[in-house]
Amino acid sequence: MRFASIGSGSEGNGLLVETTDGHRRHRVLIDCGFGPRRARERFQAVGVEPESLAAILVTHEHADHIGGVFKLALAHRIPVYITHGTLHAARVPEQARELLRPIGADDRFELGGMQIHAVPVPHDAREPVQYVMDDGRNRLGVLTDLGHGSACVERAFSKLDALVLEANHDPDLLAGNPRYPPMLKRRIGGPFGHLANAAAGELLARLDPGRLKRLVAAHLSAHNNRPELARAALAKALGCKADEIEVADQADGLAWRVLA
């Protein structure tokens, strides 16, 4: 198994996961918050042709995650896995409906040689989920866009080989940011918003990290966080060095990382 981010942040998100069964590669994309031109550029940067995707998995209906999904799906006839709640909250082009594969929060299904678990998360969306992917050798968890860790999240995201974890903001930087109105600050920092660095560290400390080989900080705010702050909080929770924590950023995402 290997994975790569084509961008992570409020301007657009997408994460590729690839497995092989010895004969062929299987690729899925989690979210696409980029328009056609930007998505094409970002796929090219990691050496992927969009028509090679077996599916797109949607986490929720916010534009930075779903904004480019249906154009991409229609252009290349890619199936879209999406919760019933997200489907009702999203604007779905009529011609894309035949590509939809509705799922429920907490559903488990097989796709591209992987067992996939759609895990419900606390976020201000209709039926948001994040994903755990298991190819029989490695387990990858992708966990962003949640306001706090729940018991369900803690169970699902323990005993992973790799974790992409939101570390969205530093509360002091958010509180002092003159660009953000008070209502937006309350939403981001609230229990259905986004994980602060320390909250991400606290959640990480409650997970079982016994198999963890790679930890990637993701969905960092460009205005309310700094990579070194996110790294420090997660490293403290794991008891490791800060430079062992990787960061998926908005501009460049994260190049392919292989799980042996």
Side-chain angles (χ1 to χ4, degrees):
M1 177 187 287
R2 65 175 187 162
F3 64 96
S5 169
I6 61 170
S8 183
S10 60
E11 295 180 10
N13 295 272
L15 190 123
L16 289 156
V17 183
E18 179 185 287
T19 62
T20 178
D21 59 11
H23 302 285
R24 57 173 296 193
R25 293 177 178 176
H26 305 277
R27 292 188 182 121
V28 300
L29 176 68
I30 300 176
D31 290 335
C32 183
F34 303 101
R37 181 181 62 80
R38 291 180 68 200
R40 184 169 58 250
E41 292 170 352
R42 288 167 183 262
F43 282 126
Q44 288 174 347
V46 293
V48 168
E49 298 294 334
E51 57 266 27
S52 71
L53 295 174
I56 303 171
L57 309 180
V58 175
T59 61
H60 62 294
E61 70 270 18
H62 293 165
D64 57 324
H65 293 264
I66 204 174
V69 164
F70 298 115
K71 287 183 179 179
L72 180 65
L74 282 167
H76 304 286
R77 311 305 297 172
I78 305 168
V80 176
Y81 289 74
I82 183 170
T83 66
H84 296 279
T86 301
L87 176 57
H88 286 296
R91 294 182 178 180
V92 182
E94 189 60 38
Q95 59 269 39
R97 292 193 174 273
E98 64 178 309
L99 298 171
L100 299 178
R101 306 290 186 271
I103 60 173
D106 211 29
D107 274 3
R108 299 170 190 264
F109 54 96
E110 186 172 354
L111 178 64
M114 291 182 286
Q115 292 292 327
I116 298 174
H117 183 190
V119 183
V121 294
H123 191 51
D124 57 352
R126 183 71 174 269
E127 192 182 8
V129 294
Q130 296 292 318
Y131 293 97
V132 174
M133 323 192 57
D134 187 338
D135 69 353
R137 291 164 294 182
N138 291 288
R139 298 181 73 236
L140 166 67
V142 182
L143 183 58
T144 67
D145 294 77
L146 73 166
H148 66 277
S150 65
C152 175
V153 165
E154 291 175 25
R155 285 194 301 270
F157 286 87
S158 286
K159 299 181 181 178
L160 299 173
D161 297 279
L163 174 60
V164 178
L165 176 63
E166 174 171 79
N168 178 258
H169 62 278
D170 174 86
D172 292 334
L173 292 179
L174 177 63
N177 188 340
R179 305 183 188 187
Y180 282 41
M183 184 174 68
L184 180 57
K185 292 179 182 180
R186 288 193 296 271
R187 176 200 162 247
I188 292 170
F192 295 93
H194 293 271
L195 286 181
N197 295 330
E202 290 166 4
L203 172 57
L204 180 60
R206 296 195 297 272
L207 305 180
D208 181 344
R211 293 172 49 174
L212 197 63
K213 303 168 188 172
R214 290 192 177 274
L215 177 62
V216 179
H219 218 299
L220 275 67
S221 170
H223 304 294
N224 304 307
N225 209 356
R226 297 197 298 269
E228 63 269 23
L229 298 177
R231 281 192 172 103
L234 299 185
K236 180 181 178 182
L238 277 188
C240 67
K241 296 179 180 179
D243 60 9
E244 295 180 57
I245 311 298
E246 301 182 274
V247 174
D249 65 20
Q250 185 69 84
D252 301 311
L254 182 75
W256 287 108
R257 297 296 189 261
V258 178
L259 297 174

